Amino acid sequence: MTDSMQGVSVETVSGVTLFKVRGALKLGEPALDELRRRCCELDARDIDRLVLDLEHVPAIDSSGIVVLMQAY
C-alpha cells in the first residue's frame, strides 16, 4: 500500500458518521496521524454515532490503540 492510498475518508449516512481508514495505525504512519486529527474534531462536530471501517488496516500498534480508545 502506498502513502497516497493511506488516510481516512469520512462520510455521513443516515445520521451515522463513517470513518474509512486505509493504512497502518502505527506511530509515524500517515493514517494514524490523520485518524488522530479527525477524532479530535469529533467533539466540535457533536457526533453521536461513529463507525470505524478498519478493513484496510494491515497493522495496529499501541499508538493506534490509544487513538481508537480516545475516539471511543
Side-chain angles (χ1 to χ4, degrees):
M1 188 175 304
T2 64
D3 285 345
S4 63
M5 295 176 59
Q6 294 188 24
V8 179
S9 64
V10 180
E11 62 183 278
T12 302
V13 179
S14 300
V16 177
T17 301
L18 173 62
F19 281 17
K20 291 183 180 180
V21 184
R22 296 182 69 89
L25 294 180
K26 296 170 65 175
L27 187 62
E29 294 289 329
L32 178 64
D33 296 336
E34 186 173 353
L35 182 61
R36 181 181 291 119
R37 183 179 56 78
R38 299 271 188 162
C39 287
C40 287
E41 297 170 354
L42 291 177
D43 288 336
R45 293 176 50 198
D46 195 30
I47 293 174
D48 291 328
R49 298 188 298 171
L50 173 68
V51 173
L52 291 171
D53 178 350
L54 303 177
E55 178 181 4
H56 298 286
V57 175
I60 302 174
D61 70 4
S62 59
S63 299
I65 297 295
V66 167
V67 171
L68 294 175
M69 293 304 298
Q70 288 172 339
Y72 176 74

